Amino acid sequence: MRAIELSYKENQPILELTKDAALPERTSNQLLIKVEAAAINRTDLVAIDTGKLPKGNTILGVEVSGTVVESDSDAFPCGSRVMGLVNGGGYAEYAVMSLGNAMLLSDQLTFVEGAAIPEVFLTAYQTLFWLGELGPNQSVLIHAGASGVGSAAIQLVKQLTSAKIFVTAGSADKLELCRSLGADVVINYHDEDFSKRVLTETAGQGVDVILDFIGASYWEKNLASIAYDGRLILIGILGGTIIKELNLMDLLEKRIAIKGTLLTPRSDSYKAKLTKEFSDKTTSLFETGYLKPVVDTVFSLEDVENAHQYMRSNKNKGKIILKIND
C-alpha cells in the first residue's frame, strides 16, 4: 500500500512516500479500514520532533475516515463508512482501528469532514466535561479558539450547555469564525490583555474552566482569569513549559485544580469509553448540522510536508486534512 513512513538520518526526520508498505494486520477486535482521509495533528509534529512514535508505528496519523474492508463486528460490517482514532498508521491507504474507537460516519458528512472529527471533538469533550466538569450555567475560556480543538470546544459548549463562552485568537478572521460557532466574548490577544477583559465581563469573578493550549507564557493571566474553585485544563505547551516564578499560594487561595492531559497515549479502553459517551450525545447533532467539523485546507498524501509546515505556521482555522485517495 501507499504510505508516508518516518525515518531518521543523522537525527534529521525524513518523511518518505512508499508504494510498497506492508498492510497492517488486524486482530478480531479491530477493523481494517480503507482510508479515504486522515487529519494532521500536533501529536504528529511532536512525534517527528521527539522521535516518540505512537505505539512505535513508523507511519504517523492518529485519526482517519474510510470504509471497512475487514471486520468480525455486526456493528461495523464490511462496507460501513466509519471515522475514529487509530494508534498511528493513519497516513496510509489502509489502517487498523479498534472497535471501541470506531464511529459510524453519517451520509450527511464527507470522508474529509469525518477525518476532521475524532481527535479534536473527543479531546474537547474530554477536557470540557470529564476533566473540566463544566456545568450548565458556568463559564469557560477557550484559548486558540479557531484551532481544531478550539472550534470543536466552542460548538460542544454551545450545543450541550448554557455556559458563557470566552475565546482568544490572534486575528479578526479567526475571531469571526469563533463568533459564528457560538462564542459569546471574543478577544484578540495581540490587542488586549485577555485577563482584564475576562474580569470585566464577569464582574471580577473570573471563569470556571480554562482550556489552555499555550502553557507557561499564559500562566499569570490564566491565574488572574480563573474563578475560585476553577479548573485549569492544560492540553498544549505552545508558549513554553517552564514557569520561572510559581507561587503555590495563588493556587491555594483560589482553590484551583490544574489538570494536564493528552489523548493519544491513553489506553484503548479509555478511548472506547470516551468515544461511546461522545457518540451517544452528539451523533444526532452532527446529522442535523448543529455540530460541524471545521476544515481549513485539504492536502494530498504526497504533500504531507507542506501540510505539516502549514500547521507549524499557526495559520489554519480548523483542521488540516490529508486526502489519501483522489
Side-chain angles (χ1 to χ4, degrees):
M1 66 176 183
R2 295 165 65 245
I4 299 292
E5 292 194 301
L6 174 64
S7 61
Y8 292 86
K9 184 176 182 179
E10 297 179 353
N11 294 324
Q12 293 300 310
I14 299 172
L15 288 171
E16 183 178 6
L17 175 65
T18 179
K19 296 182 179 181
D20 57 357
L23 265 68
E25 296 182 6
R26 74 175 184 92
T27 62
S28 60
N29 64 344
Q30 292 177 322
L31 305 171
L32 181 63
I33 309 296
K34 181 182 180 183
V35 179
E36 296 294 339
I40 303 291
N41 287 281
R42 291 201 177 273
T43 298
D44 305 331
L45 304 186
V46 171
I48 292 172
D49 294 341
T50 64
K52 296 179 180 179
L53 308 179
K55 306 293 184 180
N57 202 325
T58 59
I59 300 174
L60 299 175
V62 296
E63 61 181 330
V64 302
S65 66
T67 305
V68 177
V69 293
E70 286 186 13
S71 170
D72 295 321
S73 168
D74 292 336
F76 302 99
C78 291
S80 300
R81 301 170 79 245
V82 296
M83 58 184 178
L85 299 176
V86 294
N87 293 320
Y91 294 7
E93 289 185 307
Y94 293 89
V96 290
M97 180 184 297
S98 295
L99 283 172
N101 295 346
M103 295 177 280
L104 290 173
L105 179 62
S106 73
D107 292 336
Q108 287 79 14
L109 296 170
T110 66
F111 285 117
V112 165
E113 291 172 322
I117 291 173
E119 176 75 8
V120 292
F121 273 91
L122 287 169
T123 297
Y125 187 91
Q126 174 209 27
T127 53
L128 287 167
F129 303 115
W130 282 20
L131 303 179
E133 301 176 10
L134 182 66
N137 297 308
Q138 295 186 333
S139 56
V140 59
L141 170 60
I142 302 168
H143 290 307
S147 66
V149 175
S151 61
I154 294 169
Q155 294 181 72
L156 289 173
V157 176
K158 190 70 174 181
Q159 297 302 324
L160 299 179
T161 80
S162 54
K164 188 171 184 179
I165 306 168
F166 295 76
V167 300
T168 64
S171 67
D173 59 336
K174 288 184 176 182
L175 292 175
E176 181 55 37
L177 171 64
C178 295
R179 194 185 298 277
S180 72
L181 296 175
D184 299 298
V185 179
V186 298
I187 306 167
N188 189 325
Y189 60 81
H190 291 304
D191 297 340
E192 60 180 318
D193 182 332
F194 68 79
S195 64
K196 293 181 179 179
R197 179 73 177 281
V198 167
L199 292 176
T200 297
E201 296 282 349
T202 61
Q205 298 300 303
V207 294
D208 299 290
V209 177
I210 297 178
L211 266 57
D212 182 27
F213 302 80
I214 310 304
S217 64
Y218 273 12
W219 175 252
E220 292 184 0
K221 292 179 182 178
N222 279 338
L223 287 185
S225 302
I226 202 164
Y228 281 81
D229 297 307
R231 286 82 69 196
L232 171 58
I233 314 302
L234 183 65
I235 50 180
I237 49 174
L238 295 176
T241 60
I242 306 299
I243 301 170
K244 294 183 179 179
E245 295 185 11
L246 172 60
N247 186 345
L248 295 178
M249 186 57 69
D250 294 332
L251 307 182
L252 293 177
E253 288 180 345
K254 280 192 168 182
R255 305 184 296 272
I256 297 169
I258 301 175
K259 300 178 183 180
T261 186
L262 293 171
L263 183 57
T264 297
R266 298 275 193 177
S267 67
D268 280 339
S269 60
Y270 181 96
K271 293 176 186 176
K273 183 179 178 182
L274 177 63
T275 297
K276 184 180 187 309
E277 182 174 311
F278 169 79
S279 186
D280 288 344
K281 292 193 175 184
T282 63
T283 295
S284 63
L285 294 172
F286 280 112
E287 290 175 347
T288 54
Y290 286 100
L291 289 176
K292 57 183 179 181
V294 178
V295 176
D296 182 287
T297 309
V298 179
F299 290 84
S300 67
L301 182 63
E302 293 82 355
D303 209 16
V304 63
E305 293 201 56
N306 284 333
H308 285 175
Q309 290 305 315
Y310 185 55
M311 173 165 276
R312 291 184 190 275
S313 73
N314 295 320
K315 295 178 181 178
N316 59 296
K317 300 186 293 294
K319 294 289 288 184
I320 302 168
I321 303 297
L322 288 179
K323 192 75 166 62
I324 306 302
N325 291 298
D326 292 330

